[in-house]
Amino acid sequence: MAVYALTGFSLVSLISFGYLSWDWMKPGLVADVPTGPMEKSLPPAFARPPHIIFILTDDQGYHDVGYHGSDIQTPTLDRLAAEGVKLENYYIQPICTPSRSQLITGRYQIHTGLQHSIIRPRQPNCLPLDQVTLPQKLQEAGYSTHMVGKWHLGFYKKECLPTRRGFDTFLGSLTGNVDYYTYDNCDGPGVCGYDLHEGENVAWDQSGKYSTFLYAQRVSKILASHSPKEPIFIYVAFQAVHTPLQSPKEYIYRYRSMGNVARRKYAAMVTCMDEAVKNITWALKKYGYYDNSVIVFSTDNGGQTFSGGSNWPLRGRKGTYWEGGVRGIGFVHSPLIKRKRRTSWALVHITDWYPTLVSLARGNLSNVPGLDGYNVWPAISEGKESPRTEILHNIDPLYNHAKYGSLEDGFGIWNTAVQASIRVGEWKLLTGDPGYSDWIPPQTLTNFPGSWWNLERLTDGLRKSVWLFNITADPYERYDLSEQRPDVVRALLTRLVHYNRTAIPVRYPAENPRAHPDFNGGAWGPWASEDEVEEWEGGGGDPPKSRGKKKKCKICKLRSFFRKLNTRLMSNRI
């Protein structure tokens, strides 16, 4: 029998946490905006394609929003969600690139070759060019398309860049994480470069501006320069709240009573992001877009508990296939929703946004067969049943195989050593190594010796490779039913076999020294020439290490000095 141990404080006290009340329309520090009600009138007739604003946050934990009982102040998100439709059966992927690729393509990662890990900065890899992307479909429907924020879908050649994949404009970073002020990203010791781009050029002049502020301000500028009579799609992929934990000190001061330093900084970043969303929403109203707009809010994966995030009361964290890694915060806010102010338990997955938004835009989906997503707008707007009944969380043949898994344990049809997870109806199956499996309460107390968080730990199950849960009855994954219901295990393994037959080979090439920022003037960016790309993609193998000469990087030493100085300054922040 499983043995649980809860340390630190009682389960009852954790579940009873409430969020702090706060005037959500109080003028914020992102911009000085007037106050007023969010909704003044009934929605107009759905007479023309709506403006679409898709907001994606990075590493925000399931618990880390006010309406999930958090101690973090998110009055804007709380209000938008309360006036719209909260998605409480909403799923994403456990890490960055997979969620973003599935949003942009409407396909599971086994159908794009991105089923293993993320796209690394030095890999000659990107979102497959044969995929018709969401912004491309919206362009076809007459939309102006803009991206602000984190790309993380590859950039080794120019054809991979956001402006070549359907976006008219782009301001943001290409890699997975950067400094919020200097926009530096180090992919290993000594492999550092600047990563903020405007279109296809390096945006050196924007250095020093806090990214959450910068991105919200850019959205406002886009709205100010566009006509609300013409449909617009803006994809806002905030860097927040991914590490490094950096925030203006005035936001950190609000959480000065938090004993845990990481949680304090993380909370400040979440609240800062919340105010950025407030300013984006206000810009939609100010410039005449709001009444015909659809705002979608989504996280990209579970929170990283070692960096202040919390997925409580769900099991696991970012990078795992437990609910804490794949169940996301999601809601839709729009005057166009027919049944507002409610919570939806309709099953929704991040791949569903592609067909849903293209359908809202009155675009054509007939020339993109084989999508894994569904149009869930009737479920969201009208409360109808979701067309989705199952989710393939993933099949990753390259991930470390579980020590105790075998084909025999998989009824001779599936090797349970392989990392995989699927949900069918109310049942969820995991095989292989699903990742870190503890339940970690919010990190609100002062650091404890040897650990800065308290946890409830499952102490058995270390020799397992198959888990089965009734996720509807047991959303916290406490009661493994794999031994009691072998019939269900076998049925779900059969579905994994089905999906695996449709998978394309994993694309996860070796890192290439040619990608080093020093070869590109000190910045991350496309580095492969057309001749090189033709040679590699034609079967010539990995790029030769000696190819190309280093471009002189006159500012690298100076930037290195400022990077070290900035690090010291950050270490002195609250």
Side-chain angles (χ1 to χ4, degrees):
M1 178 178 293
V3 179
Y4 302 94
L6 181 63
T7 63
F9 39 87
S10 72
L11 180 62
V12 174
S13 66
L14 291 169
I15 294 178
S16 63
F17 270 154
Y19 63 92
L20 302 175
S21 61
W22 192 47
D23 182 5
W24 88 286
M25 286 305 297
K26 182 180 178 180
L29 296 172
V30 179
D32 186 13
V33 297
T35 60
M38 283 297 299
E39 248 178 337
K40 295 181 179 178
S41 61
L42 295 175
F46 207 157
R48 60 186 190 276
H51 308 297
I52 301 170
I53 311 299
F54 195 102
I55 300 173
L56 187 72
T57 59
D58 200 342
D59 287 8
Q60 184 179 0
Y62 178 83
H63 182 72
D64 298 329
V65 65
Y67 67 84
H68 280 173
S70 179
D71 54 337
I72 298 177
Q73 302 163 5
T74 58
T76 304
L77 301 184
D78 297 344
R79 182 69 177 271
L80 291 174
E83 294 181 348
V85 176
K86 300 174 185 176
L87 304 177
E88 292 301 329
N89 206 4
Y90 174 57
Y91 286 87
I92 48 184
Q93 296 306 113
I95 49 179
C96 300
T97 296
S99 282
R100 293 160 203 275
S101 69
Q102 297 193 44
L103 166 66
I104 293 294
T105 67
R107 301 178 192 275
Y108 292 140
Q109 58 205 89
I110 65 165
H111 295 146
T112 59
L114 299 175
Q115 55 265 59
H116 180 66
S117 191
I118 60 173
I119 296 178
R120 306 285 176 181
R122 287 177 282 174
Q123 283 182 315
N125 195 15
C126 72
L127 188 72
L129 300 179
D130 61 351
Q131 295 291 326
V132 180
T133 67
L134 171 60
Q136 287 172 334
K137 294 304 296 181
L138 294 176
Q139 282 181 331
E140 290 178 9
Y143 276 68
S144 173
T145 60
H146 307 269
M147 180 179 174
V148 180
K150 172 179 169 178
W151 176 239
H152 208 185
L153 289 174
F155 58 88
Y156 77 104
K157 57 182 179 180
K158 289 186 176 181
E159 288 77 13
C160 301
L161 296 176
T163 48
R164 307 289 180 101
R165 305 311 307 271
F167 290 104
D168 296 326
T169 69
F170 170 67
L171 174 68
S173 59
L174 299 174
T175 60
N177 68 295
V178 299
D179 186 284
Y180 281 73
Y181 292 93
T182 68
Y183 300 97
D184 285 335
N185 176 26
C186 293
D187 187 40
V191 188
C192 301
Y194 185 83
D195 183 18
L196 183 65
H197 295 74
E198 174 90 51
E200 298 183 8
N201 299 312
V202 182
W204 298 105
D205 59 320
Q206 301 292 344
S207 180
K209 300 176 182 178
Y210 188 67
S211 72
T212 304
F213 293 171
L214 178 65
Y215 294 155
Q217 290 164 359
R218 173 52 59 97
V219 173
S220 295
K221 289 180 180 178
I222 292 171
L223 293 171
S225 62
H226 187 77
S227 169
K229 296 180 180 180
E230 301 297 328
I232 191 170
F233 170 58
I234 306 180
Y235 171 36
V236 188
F238 281 114
Q239 173 188 352
V241 289
H242 197 291
T243 54
L245 299 180
Q246 297 171 308
S247 173
K249 62 182 180 180
E250 52 266 46
Y251 287 87
I252 300 176
Y253 185 74
R254 302 181 188 185
Y255 296 99
R256 60 192 179 278
S257 62
M258 279 190 178
N260 187 283
V261 176
R263 181 70 173 172
R264 185 191 311 162
K265 293 180 179 180
Y266 175 92
M269 295 166 70
V270 173
T271 296
C272 183
M273 176 273 296
D274 180 85
E275 291 201 8
V277 173
K278 178 180 70 175
N279 284 274
I280 290 172
T281 307
W282 183 259
L284 288 170
K285 296 176 71 67
K286 177 181 179 180
Y287 297 114
Y289 296 87
Y290 177 78
D291 287 342
N292 190 41
S293 69
V294 174
I295 302 172
V296 181
F297 181 90
S298 171
T299 49
D300 70 335
N301 46 246
Q304 179 52 270
T305 53
F306 289 128
S307 302
S310 175
N311 306 302
W312 182 261
L314 302 180
R315 185 177 184 176
R317 65 188 186 208
K318 172 184 177 177
T320 76
Y321 289 94
W322 304 107
E323 292 291 283
V326 297
R327 183 172 287 208
I329 300 171
F331 65 78
V332 180
H333 178 96
S334 172
L336 306 176
I337 294 174
K338 292 183 179 179
R339 292 183 57 196
K340 302 183 185 68
R341 301 177 184 274
R342 65 185 181 86
T343 296
S344 171
W345 294 95
L347 188 61
V348 178
H349 184 249
I350 195 167
T351 54
D352 296 331
W353 297 120
Y354 186 114
T356 299
L357 299 181
V358 173
S359 296
L360 277 176
R362 303 176 186 177
N364 179 20
L365 289 170
S366 64
N367 58 351
V368 281
L371 292 178
D372 294 307
Y374 294 85
N375 179 5
V376 293
W377 184 251
I380 293 171
S381 178
E382 304 172 45
K384 293 184 177 180
E385 186 176 352
S386 173
R388 177 176 288 282
T389 59
E390 64 183 52
I391 296 172
L392 175 68
H393 292 300
N394 195 27
I395 300 171
D396 186 349
L398 298 189
Y399 193 81
N400 296 333
H401 282 201
K403 183 177 181 180
Y404 298 102
S406 68
L407 190 61
E408 180 181 359
D409 289 341
F411 298 95
I413 62 174
W414 183 262
N415 183 357
T416 63
V418 174
Q419 185 190 64
S421 182
I422 188 171
R423 173 171 171 173
V424 179
E426 61 188 10
W427 296 101
K428 178 182 177 182
L429 179 78
L430 304 98
T431 70
D433 179 2
Y436 191 84
S437 63
D438 288 340
W439 294 265
I440 305 175
Q443 304 87 348
T444 56
L445 298 185
T446 307
N447 295 357
F448 282 79
S451 174
W452 61 268
W453 39 260
N454 298 309
L455 58 83
E456 184 178 355
R457 173 162 289 171
L458 180 66
T459 57
D460 72 350
L462 300 179
R463 300 173 65 90
K464 289 179 60 63
S465 63
V466 178
W467 294 261
L468 177 71
F469 302 96
N470 183 322
I471 215 66
T472 302
D474 178 26
Y476 310 147
E477 297 170 299
R478 293 181 178 273
Y479 307 105
D480 177 17
L481 302 176
S482 59
E483 294 183 5
Q484 292 94 317
R485 295 299 305 269
D487 57 321
V488 178
V489 171
R490 187 182 184 103
L492 269 62
L493 289 176
T494 301
R495 292 302 295 161
L496 283 179
V497 171
H498 162 75
Y499 278 113
N500 200 42
R501 288 171 180 161
T502 71
I504 68 173
V506 179
R507 179 171 173 80
Y508 195 73
E511 295 183 343
N512 185 348
R514 282 275 286 105
H516 197 299
D518 284 359
F519 290 102
N520 194 34
W524 292 102
W527 46 269
S529 68
E530 292 183 7
D531 291 340
E532 289 171 328
V533 170
E534 289 179 4
E535 178 182 341
W536 306 334
E537 296 183 350
D542 289 333
K545 295 184 178 181
S546 61
R547 180 165 293 176
K549 296 182 179 180
K550 258 191 179 182
K551 296 180 182 179
K552 290 185 178 180
C553 181
K554 297 180 180 179
I555 66 168
C556 287
K557 291 184 178 180
L558 184 60
R559 289 183 56 251
S560 177
F561 167 77
F562 282 112
R563 185 186 302 121
K564 293 177 181 177
L565 178 61
N566 181 73
T567 300
R568 292 177 181 175
L569 290 173
M570 289 301 169
S571 65
N572 292 327
R573 291 185 178 226
I574 295 176

